[in-house]
Amino acid sequence: MERLWGLLERAQELSPRTSRTIYKRVEGTQQGHLEEEEEDREEGSEPPAHFCPMELRGPEPLGSRPRQQNLGAWLAAGGRATPYLVLTALLIFTGAFLLGYVAFRGSCQACGDAVLVGNEDVSYELSPDYHQGPLYLRDLQAMFLRFLEEGHLEDTIRQTSSRERTAGSAGMAALAQDVRSEFSRQKLDHVWTDTHYVGLQFPDPDHPNTLHWVGAAGRAGEQLPLEDPDVYCPYSATGNTTGELVYAHYGRLEDLQNLRAQGVEPKGRLLLVRVGRINFAQKVASAQDFGAQGVLIYPDPADLTSHTHKLGLSSHRAVYGHVHLGTGDPYTPGFPSFNQTQFPPVQSSGLPTIPAQPISADTASRLLRKLKGPVAPKEWQGHLPVSSYRLGPGPGLHLTVNNRRTSTPISNIFGCIEGHSEPDHYVVVGAQRDAWGPGAARSAVGTAILLELVRTVSSMVSNGFRPRRSLLFISWDGGDFGSVGSMEWLEGYLSVLHLKAVVYVSLDNAVLGDDRFHAKTSPLLINLIKTILKQVDSPNHSGQTLYEQVVVTNPSWEAEVIRPLPMDSSAYSFTAFAGVPAVEFSFLEDDQAYPFLNTKEDTYENLHAALRGRLPAVARAVALLAGHLLTRLSHDHLLPLDFGCYGDVVLSHIGSLNEFSGDLKVESLVAGNGRGPQRECGSETQEVDVNVEFYFLSQYVSPADSPFRHIFLGHGDHTLGALLDHLRLLRKSDSGALGTSSPGVAPSLGFQESRFRRQLALLTWTLQGAANALGGDVWNIDNNF
């Protein structure tokens, strides 16, 4: 364990330098022509007050300038002066080097924040109406504001949410063509379509899913209403199952542990669980781990409406959600689903083996009234019209799920603006295009923001903006089935993505309210997000920036804003699968979830009413956040990423691991005292390595079996989270009462030494490789474990 802690600590050692790119108007040249001068600068230094109107020229042929001719003649005539010239030049160089070294050391003591603070004096290209002096970052931001139009956002949200666009449908094909046409209309450098043939699951209209009471003789009795036969759980196991009903709160691991502690056994029963806290796939996976026969998922009013004057979901509506514990096409795990490609007959390990079905609040009320057994804990009580929620068991139920798998073509639409200096490095921004139901909040908002960013940035390029790196805009298909479109693209180009894609920005689920702001992100982007929050006005607090709005209620802005990437976001796969840092922005309500998400009531009218008419303003705020982020990432001389922010992640894990030192010593499981090569903090500085996230992907597990290989943010037995979950079993006298989040391990098995040693080996070798890569010293490897 000490070896592991030493490797964890090495992730905090290096921080990048800052730089700037300066553009000057060249007098006497064609209007709009700009030449570029790149200049490294230390944090805190001031920019020149003005630039002389002089022309910047490239190298000229030897002897082409009179000054060089004069210098040659002087040297020929005065050869004895040569030693003095050399000495003088050497003294100047040495003095400049020492001054630079002292200044650099002084700035390096504050490594971390230095490169990430938005520098208002970083220069960019001149716009056509800017006739003298450099164009600074604030001027570029002003250009973005000038071209961004709130009206376009509102119109696109309304029009998109009114169109039928389920993945694989004719409506989806028509919308895909419209998006591609819009990309082409904006004169992007490249526009293309990427088509995949994936396995999606749909209801069988001839054999709808059903739910029946089971009589005393064990036969199916009265049928319970499933009000909308279109509402289902894609990737549910199909077939019939029967069992007594048990209420299990949100269906989390801790809920099932508490249920068992109350003397109510989940095994062999059907579980009734509420929408919220975790996604549908995690609920079903937890139920399966505890031996349940099936899962019914309903929306409780307590989770969706807390004030009578606010809109609420109709009591007869059910909520849609897929139950694949993963992303992409689950029938081709680890492989891209291109046409005519032959795949081995395998399935994702995240596909459930038990059936699941959404039901409405009305149907859930009828079920709860039949439950007996202990009264549920106070915090488990909801707002359905029943006297009290009981845990059960209750009468038997018979669930039939007849969903069918269909090979379906899906199309991702791409548009690219080429970078002028690093065209092979891409800043990627994407949004889901498909939706089950109207999908106003689910995908219409993201699609509208994506199209507006394309239009705005294209206008900026037409007016002089030249991004350093390429900008890649993507409209994803198949998002409602688990980010299928984005994951298939990642699988198809996995071998080069970590070298070319520098950051991914997701526009999905961007507007679900207007009170609170969350950024679900990789640690590499945290300080850059902080800078940008100080530059965007709050959409509902006049005179305040988003940053000021946050710190008024919580001085710890990071604790208020930053959240981990969720598995049901397309951004998650970019980081946990491909090793690309990613972020997803979301505005939320203060006291309730947006009640209509993933239902047929997610209309433009309901979303607009839920935000009390502020939908266009909030969508514009998201567009500004994304626009400022894209501007910095596509044009800063050095990428404004800071892997020093992983220090907090590492320290939190070190603290958690230290808690189990005594337990491990009792079990004689403490690892040796070998230490790898160490480096003093601040002793060396290097540029940001864009592969930092990639280094944290475990190279010792299969992408097909464990696609989310990231040891901090991923999912599986190779992660630090799984190791900590396993260590907690050491402190349970009744190990059978504790579940585990690691796939393939039954909760009742308890602590296993062989599994612990394997986890420790996987983590140690992954961290050793990451530490060597970050340190740049791959040949000095200490294998003394």
Side-chain angles (χ1 to χ4, degrees), residues 181-361:
S181 298
E182 183 62 25
F183 279 14
S184 300
R185 188 178 302 114
Q186 298 304 328
K187 297 182 174 61
L188 303 184
D189 294 318
H190 307 284
V191 176
W192 71 98
T193 300
D194 202 12
T195 300
H196 299 267
Y197 292 79
V198 298
L200 304 182
Q201 201 184 67
F202 297 97
D204 185 343
D206 297 325
H207 302 90
N209 300 341
T210 60
L211 182 65
H212 291 81
W213 291 114
V214 173
R219 295 185 178 181
E222 177 191 357
Q223 181 172 343
L224 287 151
L226 300 178
E227 289 92 341
D228 191 340
D230 295 333
V231 185
Y232 70 113
C233 288
Y235 304 122
S236 165
T238 57
N240 305 307
T241 189
T242 301
E244 295 177 317
L245 183 67
V246 167
Y247 172 56
H249 204 208
Y250 294 106
R252 299 168 296 183
L253 288 169
E254 57 267 34
D255 295 331
L256 297 178
Q257 293 159 14
N258 290 336
L259 191 64
R260 184 174 282 172
Q262 294 283 333
V264 180
E265 176 58 50
K267 186 175 181 180
R269 288 168 168 157
L270 288 175
L271 303 187
L272 177 65
V273 303
R274 287 156 62 162
V275 172
R277 303 298 175 92
I278 58 175
N279 63 42
F280 281 30
Q282 290 169 312
K283 296 175 191 293
V284 176
S286 298
Q288 181 175 303
D289 282 345
F290 276 77
Q293 291 290 101
V295 182
L296 302 172
I297 308 172
Y298 80 97
D300 197 293
D303 302 310
L304 302 175
T305 306
S306 58
H307 297 292
T308 55
H309 69 276
K310 290 191 175 181
L311 295 174
L313 184 67
S314 302
S315 62
H316 62 277
R317 290 290 189 193
V319 179
Y320 167 97
H322 79 88
V323 292
H324 172 217
L325 191 63
T327 57
D329 182 355
Y331 305 109
T332 59
F335 302 92
S337 299
F338 290 117
N339 195 22
Q340 306 301 327
T341 305
Q342 300 299 315
F343 302 106
V346 295
Q347 293 186 355
S348 167
S349 59
L351 280 175
T353 59
I354 61 175
Q357 174 66 31
I359 62 174
S360 68

Side-chain angles (χ1 to χ4, degrees), residues 577-657:
F577 174 73
V580 176
V583 61
E584 178 177 289
F585 299 128
S586 293
F587 280 91
L588 307 168
E589 287 293 289
D590 243 341
D591 51 3
Q592 69 172 41
Y594 173 65
F596 310 118
L597 192 66
N598 295 324
T599 73
K600 289 189 174 180
E601 295 182 19
D602 183 17
T603 62
Y604 167 80
E605 291 75 19
N606 277 340
L607 179 60
H608 196 274
L611 271 72
R612 298 169 294 282
R614 288 199 289 266
L615 173 58
V618 181
R620 179 179 181 274
V622 177
L624 283 172
L625 285 164
H628 289 340
L629 193 67
L630 296 180
T631 300
R632 290 291 309 273
L633 291 169
S634 67
H635 220 287
D636 279 12
H637 178 56
L638 295 181
L639 279 169
L641 307 178
D642 180 18
F643 56 79
C645 284
Y646 261 112
D648 292 338
V649 176
V650 172
L651 287 174
S652 67
H653 283 294
I654 290 176
S656 299
L657 289 169

